Amino acid sequence: MKKLFAFLIAISCSLIGYTQVRLPKLISDGLVVQRNKPVVVWGWASPGEKISVQFHGKQGKTTTDKSGHWRLELSPETAGGPYQMIVKGKNVITINDILVGEVWVCSGQSNMEWPLRAAKNAEEEIKAANFPQIRQFLVKKEVSAKPEEDVKGGDWKACSPETAGDFTAVGYFFARSVYNEINVPIGLINTSWGGTHSETWTSREAFMSNPEFKDMISGMPQLDFEQLAKQKQAEQIAKFKAMNIIIPPAGVDHWKDASFDANSWNEMELPSLWENHGLPDFDGVVWFRKTVTLTEAEAKGNATLELGAIDDEDDTYVNGTMVGSTASYNEQRVYKLSSGVLKAGDNVIAVRVDDTGGGGGLYGQPDQLKLTTGSGAKHSLAGKWRYSIEKLNGSAAVGPNSYPTLLFNAMLNPLLPARIAGVLWYQGESNAGRAYQYRTAFPLMINDWRSHWKEGDFPFYFVQLASFNASHGTSEKGSTWAELREAQTMTLSLPHTGMAVTTDIGEANDIHPRNKQDVGKRLAALALKNEYGKNVVCAGPSYKSMSVEGNKVRISFNDLGSGLMVKDKYGYLRGFELAGSDQRFHYAKASINGNEVVVECDQVQTPVAVRFAWADNPEDANLFNKDGFPAVPFRSDNWDGITKDAKFKFQ
């Protein structure tokens, strides 16, 4: 009898839960609704349940279908708020503090994900970030083998000094620039994931419709994440055993202690992601240890330990004492050591790193790893560290790049019913090795999103790759990053697209340039001109044509703005190259002649091709228009590059 009673209670509870009206996580307190478009509200309830929605004096009614889905549209709203929404079925849900304004989706990889707290002048920017009508919905990271109906997590945050640090920096600076011009609420839907390639953001239907990718997607297996996790774990355990790494069953707290003998551990050169040093495709917990010998004078007083950036989280110990812990992959680790932590003689630094996905480890620059003692002595910590593995992250057998479609399914598909103003996209670093194929993959993804959103050719504005010494690529050696930039430029052939050029604000040794201010401003200029009717210049000079005049080449440009200019301390143009029929490029002299550029080179008497900013790191390229926008990198030739035969493959 007791078992029957318990069973009936369980059935009753499940039925009660099933009959509850439920909304997607996006429709929650603090929501920003797109102005001047139908207000779309959707959710789930019992099949056949009658649903009503009240919003700003308007009401809509509908009935759920046989699968329990419902959706309705209310007439468009002008900018305003805050308002309240009441959704009624057999229960009532009230959504408060809703604004109506402009909603922009921010997506891509780490440079879009990059938070304001890690951007240039972060402390000052955050203090001034008091914009309650700018809001962000941060989509929780998740992968899925099938299109999902709702995101795994997320909520709306109004911009304030307390919350702004977690905003996408690019999105925030875009929103601030737009808000200051049009004075309407701005909503940012931040669905981004560092290190991801475009194929994971593209749907299965898009791949099936494209000859370049149809065979690839047809061969994609049915994914059983649990089985894949078990398989990957077994493979990794066997591999690590061969490397003399035995993963302990439990109890490694003593690994932090100075007395622990780690001489049997393997060594790794730091800083570097561990994927580049013997732990490819590994997610989990790794301990690193290094011994530093100090004099008695150096050991006295307070000290500072700097470890650069660590992906993702760390707990750091010195001589067994925890000195710091940070749960962010893009923050510099700077830990203060109080007097007494260090000692004369050997001092052991132990760092426990937990990587939840993508790259892992201490990945900053060599000069960022150092110990500064109270006496002022500096000890570099770059070099060999001992390491061992505490545990594997079994749930990470399938990462966002393991197969195509995974992030479209989990982090984009659930957002499709919402009306938006447009998309901001910063990605491409992870596709650079397949830059030629990106000419197809990137436009395919854009058209795919537009097709699924069913809002026509909404604006899609993207950031061209900044300067970075990815592999020191040049015209002579070949450059994957230059080829990727070219693929991005070619994508401008799609209607209602725009590109922010950022070759002038990159950092040669950091794939994450901290200057996100100018990135956001340049994206905002595109929107202000094209969407909001502002009379602003939004692009730099772009290649139009060339003509050969003896041993010189004359280049014409589009998007001149207020005219051409040289922008740097040298006062002369740099970044141009010429080649003859031998296809060998040489550095060339260049000068501005009215609205054109004239290029010549003593080594090339019969030029047939010209290139500008054609390198991984074209930091010397200094052609701008007088409105402050850099020229778009280009080449006049169509000679084969180094990525032509590289194709996307999944695991």
Side-chain angles (χ1 to χ4, degrees):
M1 188 68 181
K2 288 182 178 179
K3 290 183 179 179
L4 176 61
F5 182 72
F7 174 76
L8 291 173
I9 289 294
I11 290 294
S12 299
C13 290
S14 66
L15 287 173
I16 290 171
Y18 186 70
T19 60
Q20 297 292 301
V21 172
R22 184 166 61 87
L23 295 172
K25 296 177 181 65
L26 187 68
I27 302 179
S28 55
D29 289 349
L31 168 70
V32 181
V33 172
Q34 177 61 39
R35 65 172 174 166
N36 302 330
K37 293 184 179 182
V39 178
V40 181
V41 188
W42 72 99
W44 306 269
S46 295
E49 186 170 345
K50 296 185 184 301
I51 306 295
S52 69
V53 176
Q54 297 176 355
F55 178 65
H56 194 210
K58 299 171 183 176
Q59 180 168 310
K61 295 183 178 181
T62 190
T63 302
T64 58
D65 63 20
K66 293 180 180 179
S67 62
H69 295 80
W70 61 268
R71 179 183 185 278
L72 59 80
E73 293 185 2
L74 300 175
S75 57
E77 295 277 344
T78 57
Y83 304 126
Q84 185 182 77
M85 179 182 291
I86 299 175
V87 181
K88 292 182 179 180
K90 295 178 181 177
N91 60 303
V92 178
I93 300 175
T94 301
I95 308 298
N96 296 305
D97 192 27
I98 299 174
L99 300 179
V100 181
E102 294 292 286
V103 179
W104 287 83
V105 173
C106 303
S107 191
Q109 56 183 103
S110 55
N111 273 308
M112 180 59 80
E113 183 183 3
W114 200 261
L116 182 58
R117 56 181 152 76
K120 184 179 74 172
N121 299 327
E123 186 175 351
E124 294 81 1
E125 295 285 9
I126 289 172
K127 285 180 181 178
N130 189 20
F131 295 93
Q133 290 204 323
I134 296 176
R135 299 178 178 185
Q136 173 181 263
F137 184 91
L138 179 58
V139 175
K140 188 172 183 179
K141 294 177 181 176
E142 179 66 311
V143 296
S144 178
K146 61 179 181 61
E148 298 292 344
E149 295 183 337
D150 199 5
V151 296
K152 186 176 182 180
D155 58 3
W156 287 96
K157 298 290 187 185
C159 182
S160 70
E162 291 71 39
T163 63
D166 291 328
F167 276 47
T168 156
V170 168
Y172 167 75
F173 291 120
F174 166 87
R176 187 178 70 180
S177 295
V178 172
Y179 178 81
N180 285 337
E181 289 291 330
I182 69 173
N183 196 32
V184 303
I186 307 289
L188 304 173
I189 301 177
N190 181 2
T191 180
S192 53
W193 192 326
T196 54
H197 51 223
S198 68
E199 290 86 354
T200 192
W201 293 100
T202 307
S203 76
R204 183 181 183 87
E205 297 93 324
F207 289 129
M208 287 297 295
S209 70
N210 187 274
E212 175 83 13
F213 293 101
K214 186 174 182 178
D215 289 345
M216 176 277 295
I217 199 67
S218 297
M220 182 174 169
Q222 294 292 322
L223 300 181
D224 182 337
F225 285 4
E226 184 176 348
Q227 182 59 36
L228 286 169
K230 291 179 181 178
Q231 179 181 334
K232 179 178 179 180
Q233 190 168 34
E235 292 172 353
Q236 289 193 325
I237 288 174
K239 175 186 176 182
F240 296 143
K241 186 175 181 180
M243 296 169 61
N244 198 34
I245 299 175
I246 306 299
I247 300 175
V252 299
D253 187 61
H254 59 289
W255 285 6
K256 72 180 187 300
D257 296 334
S259 58
F260 174 71
D261 184 1
N263 287 323
S264 63
W265 287 10
N266 291 357
E267 290 184 323
M268 185 182 296
E269 195 80 18
L270 298 181
S272 176
L273 294 174
W274 60 52
E275 281 79 0
N276 301 327
H277 290 278
L279 301 179
D281 198 29
F282 171 75
D283 300 310
V285 178
V286 177
W287 283 74
F288 294 94
R289 287 172 57 101
K290 190 176 186 67
T291 299
V292 181
T293 304
L294 302 178
T295 66
E296 187 171 343
E298 290 174 330
K300 291 181 180 179
N302 300 327
T304 301
L305 174 64
E306 298 176 61
L307 298 172
I310 298 178
D311 193 346
D312 289 296
E313 306 174 6
D314 74 289
D315 298 318
T316 297
Y317 304 85
V318 175
N319 295 328
T321 299
M322 179 180 276
V323 296
S325 179
T326 305
S328 174
Y329 77 93
N330 49 27
E331 284 192 31
Q332 299 294 311
R333 272 52 171 186
V334 180
Y335 297 137
K336 301 297 183 182
L337 279 56
S338 58
S339 179
V341 172
L342 298 176
K343 62 181 181 179
D346 290 346
N347 294 263
V348 175
I349 301 169
V351 185
R352 181 183 186 270
V353 180
D354 186 356
D355 175 47
T356 59
L362 287 70
Y363 70 94
Q365 299 303 311
D367 60 358
Q368 294 174 326
L369 275 67
K370 59 189 174 184
L371 173 67
T372 305
T373 69
S375 66
K378 296 183 184 296
H379 292 261
S380 172
L381 301 178
K384 295 185 183 300
W385 289 59
R386 297 282 182 180
Y387 77 93
S388 193
I389 297 172
E390 176 185 335
K391 66 177 182 179
L392 294 86
N393 182 1
S395 63
V398 177
N401 289 338
S402 298
Y403 297 92
T405 78
L406 299 182
L407 296 190
F408 176 90
N409 292 337
M411 296 178 64
L412 194 80
N413 191 72
L415 308 173
L416 294 176
R419 302 301 86 186
I420 62 172
V423 171
L424 307 177
W425 177 259
Y426 195 160
Q427 188 273 342
E429 298 92 339
S430 293
N431 279 79
R434 304 187 304 279
Y436 188 84
Q437 194 179 47
Y438 200 68
R439 297 180 180 188
T440 301
F442 188 30
L444 178 67
M445 190 205 78
I446 295 173
N447 285 329
D448 183 35
W449 287 25
R450 287 172 168 173
S451 174
H452 277 89
W453 239 297
K454 296 181 174 62
E455 288 200 62
D457 293 335
F458 57 71
F460 196 107
Y461 298 138
F462 53 91
V463 182
Q464 192 178 52
L465 293 188
S467 298
F468 172 63
N469 260 331
S471 56
H472 301 275
T474 61
S475 284
E476 181 180 358
K477 295 171 55 180
S479 169
T480 59
W481 277 50
E483 291 184 30
L484 195 287
R485 293 189 192 101
E486 180 180 50
Q488 291 174 316
T489 301
M490 295 171 73
T491 302
L492 293 173
S493 62
L494 290 184
H496 219 159
T497 54
M499 182 174 73
V501 178
T502 61
T503 46
D504 61 315
I505 58 177
E507 298 180 23
N509 298 313
D510 195 337
I511 199 171
H512 302 120
R514 299 307 194 265
N515 179 0
K516 297 296 192 278
Q517 287 87 339
D518 284 325
V519 182
K521 289 176 183 177
R522 291 172 188 177
L523 289 170
L526 290 164
L528 288 170
K529 181 177 181 63
N530 299 323
E531 316 312 320
Y532 306 120
K534 300 297 181 180
N535 185 23
V536 297
V537 175
C538 64
S542 60
Y543 175 76
K544 182 179 181 181
S545 63
M546 64 164 275
S547 60
V548 178
E549 302 174 354
N551 66 340
K552 299 179 181 180
V553 168
R554 183 176 296 273
I555 307 169
S556 299
F557 294 89
N558 298 309
D559 299 312
L560 292 166
S562 302
L564 301 177
M565 66 170 285
V566 179
K567 185 181 179 182
D568 67 14
K569 63 183 179 181
Y570 297 100
Y572 60 89
L573 283 178
R574 298 186 297 164
F576 286 87
E577 300 171 281
L578 286 179
S581 58
D582 62 357
Q583 299 188 11
R584 295 188 61 184
F585 281 89
H586 300 268
Y587 179 83
K589 301 175 184 177
S591 59
I592 295 172
N593 187 328
N595 288 329
E596 298 175 321
V597 169
V598 177
V599 186
E600 60 182 309
C601 175
D602 292 340
Q603 293 95 328
V604 183
Q605 290 301 303
T606 309
V608 299
V610 61
R611 291 182 177 182
F612 171 72
W614 194 265
D616 291 359
N617 182 41
E619 59 185 356
D620 62 337
N622 62 351
L623 176 63
F624 283 67
N625 61 22
K626 294 178 181 178
D627 308 280
F629 291 88
V632 181
F634 68 88
R635 61 172 177 158
S636 66
D637 63 277
N638 60 358
W639 300 330
D640 286 350
I642 60 175
T643 68
K644 187 174 182 180
D645 297 324
K647 304 296 182 183
F648 173 75
K649 298 177 182 179
F650 51 78
Q651 286 183 345

